[in-house]
Amino acid sequence: MFRDSFKYYKSRNPAPDLDDVIDLESPEHVRVRKIEANVSDKQTEDNFGLTSAEKWTIYELLNIPGLIFIQNPFTPNGQRYWITKCLKDYSKEPYKLNIDAHNILANETWWEICFQMSERDKILLPKLRWATLGYHHNWDTKLYSESSKSDMPIELSGLTSILARTLGFSDFKAEAAIVNYYRMNSTLAGHTDHSEMNITAPLFSISFGQTAIFLIGGPKQEDPANAIFLRSGDVIIMSGNSRLRYHGVPKILSASKTPWNDNCENSCENCTYSYDDWRKARTYIAEARININIRQVLEPGQIVLY
Ligand code: OGA
Ligand code: MN
């Protein structure tokens, strides 16, 4: 049952045995089908922080039909770009944050206040848990509405559209995103994502920073669940039959590799972020995980919600 597995992996004492966690870095132990990237479009290296798609390793899990896994398709520089974007740009207006309700930010942004090494940032830094972009997910009603939305950041729509086209989901439109910020002791309770009008469109989920144990069950709470490691850069796509399955994050583990630190010479000539920003983001991500969860809300051809 989903709840029992969640408790098992969440437990600190005793710590869980991780032998049964699906590790797609060692796919020989997992029942998978290899998927070839659709590389009909011309793709250049470092497009939105991605390597070129011929190099990607893509699997569908045979036990969870429709669940597609892309093993970290990002360059190290691309990881730094997206981590910095999530921390600096997606954590302020016009996007919505969990900390808006706490009224702790006056005219400052979370990013401006944090990383000053003051007592105040120590308190504020871990308080950021989510940001919503595009159609804002309403956590209470679980509904989207025309009266609560921002533009989608164009670079995030661009990134998602490359991922979607490479997998053959050419009609996908990124209309809403949730950025989840996890500290080492954070969890995300089991849930299904059914608020979107269009539940036939896939859901894209991108992970950066520390490693997650991602738990995915079946359509019902009672169904058994599988645990999967999600590491920095990994992308999963919940499509088809897997789109409405229960899932959650019972545990964050310290990553054994830190690809976001690779090939970083302090010069930053070709970088799309400033070194000062990266220095701050790097301290944050050393003890955190960021997940960007991107959805299509509307039916094909639909222009507004009603
Ligand atoms: C979500 C979600 C999973 C993750 O935001 O709906 O399921 O890996 N996130 O953080
Ligand atoms: Mn979800």
Side-chain angles (χ1 to χ4, degrees):
M1 224 170 115
F2 190 90
R3 208 179 300 129
D4 302 322
S5 303
F6 195 93
K7 263 199 189 150
Y8 177 78
Y9 284 112
K10 183 180 172 177
S11 167
R12 283 172 194 285
N13 204 352
D17 179 347
L18 303 182
D19 279 358
D20 286 340
V21 181
I22 295 173
D23 186 348
L24 290 149
E25 276 187 1
S26 312
E28 57 282 5
H29 304 302
V30 192
R31 295 205 328 122
V32 291
R33 172 176 79 89
K34 212 167 169 167
I35 294 180
E36 288 307 316
N38 181 348
V39 284
S40 51
D41 317 326
K42 267 219 160 33
Q43 289 199 27
T44 49
E45 193 77 20
D46 214 24
N47 204 0
F48 296 102
L50 295 164
T51 59
S52 55
E54 309 90 80
K55 296 185 188 156
W56 301 0
T57 305
I58 314 171
Y59 300 114
E60 179 180 10
L61 280 89
L62 295 178
N63 293 345
I64 314 173
L67 187 73
I68 300 169
F69 174 90
I70 311 175
Q71 191 174 345
N72 175 24
F74 294 90
T75 62
N77 209 28
Q79 294 213 10
R80 291 189 279 278
Y81 169 79
W82 286 108
I83 292 168
T84 309
K85 269 268 161 225
C86 289
L87 293 173
K88 185 184 181 186
D89 296 338
Y90 299 165
S91 64
K92 63 179 185 196
E93 286 195 351
Y95 311 121
K96 272 198 183 180
L97 316 177
N98 70 302
I99 43 177
D100 291 347
H102 303 185
N103 276 329
I104 32 182
L105 300 173
N107 277 319
E108 303 146 302
T109 66
W110 175 85
W111 173 260
E112 282 163 0
I113 301 173
C114 291
F115 313 105
Q116 292 170 348
M117 304 296 161
S118 70
E119 284 307 304
R120 193 173 167 215
D121 28 293
K122 280 206 206 88
I123 299 167
L124 187 60
L125 191 107
K127 286 216 157 73
L128 180 64
R129 284 307 318 273
W130 54 259
T132 53
L133 333 177
Y135 280 108
H136 298 300
H137 186 257
N138 181 319
W139 301 86
D140 300 323
T141 62
K142 305 242 186 263
L143 294 172
Y144 295 100
S145 124
E146 275 313 313
S147 61
S148 179
K149 66 173 187 180
S150 72
D151 286 337
M152 275 296 280
I154 48 169
E155 67 284 351
L156 188 56
S157 306
L159 169 70
T160 316
S161 120
I162 294 182
L163 295 171
R165 284 205 312 268
T166 307
L167 297 171
F169 298 113
S170 39
D171 301 331
F172 184 86
K173 284 209 193 70
E175 291 164 335
I178 300 174
V179 183
N180 294 292
Y181 303 88
Y182 294 83
R183 310 295 299 171
M184 298 312 285
N185 58 1
S186 309
T187 60
L188 178 68
H191 64 279
T192 58
D193 292 304
H194 54 260
S195 309
E196 298 70 31
M197 299 216 82
N198 188 343
I199 47 173
T200 53
L203 181 155
F204 290 79
S205 169
I206 309 172
S207 298
F208 292 111
Q210 306 303 317
T211 301
I213 295 184
F214 178 77
L215 195 63
I216 178 159
K220 294 193 301 286
Q221 287 262 24
E222 295 72 39
D223 297 324
N226 283 294
I228 306 173
F229 286 118
L230 294 182
R231 299 189 174 90
S232 196
D234 290 348
V235 180
I236 55 168
I237 299 96
M238 295 172 75
S239 75
N241 219 327
S242 75
R243 176 68 177 78
L244 289 179
R245 286 178 179 242
Y246 272 90
H247 60 279
V249 178
K251 192 157 191 80
I252 307 294
L253 303 163
S254 281
S256 52
K257 282 182 270 174
T258 57
W260 58 88
N261 284 328
D262 292 350
N263 319 335
C264 189
E265 291 91 36
N266 297 351
S267 68
C268 288
E269 253 165 64
N270 304 312
C271 298
T272 32
Y273 46 83
S274 81
Y275 185 66
D276 192 45
D277 287 343
W278 172 243
R279 201 177 43 76
K280 294 175 188 163
R282 193 178 59 194
T283 60
Y284 181 91
I285 207 68
E287 290 177 86
R289 169 179 184 256
I290 297 175
N291 170 259
I292 317 178
N293 215 269
I294 307 136
R295 299 104 191 265
Q296 174 164 340
V297 172
L298 304 174
E299 300 284 1
Q302 189 184 349
I303 18 185
V304 291
L305 272 174
Y306 35 73

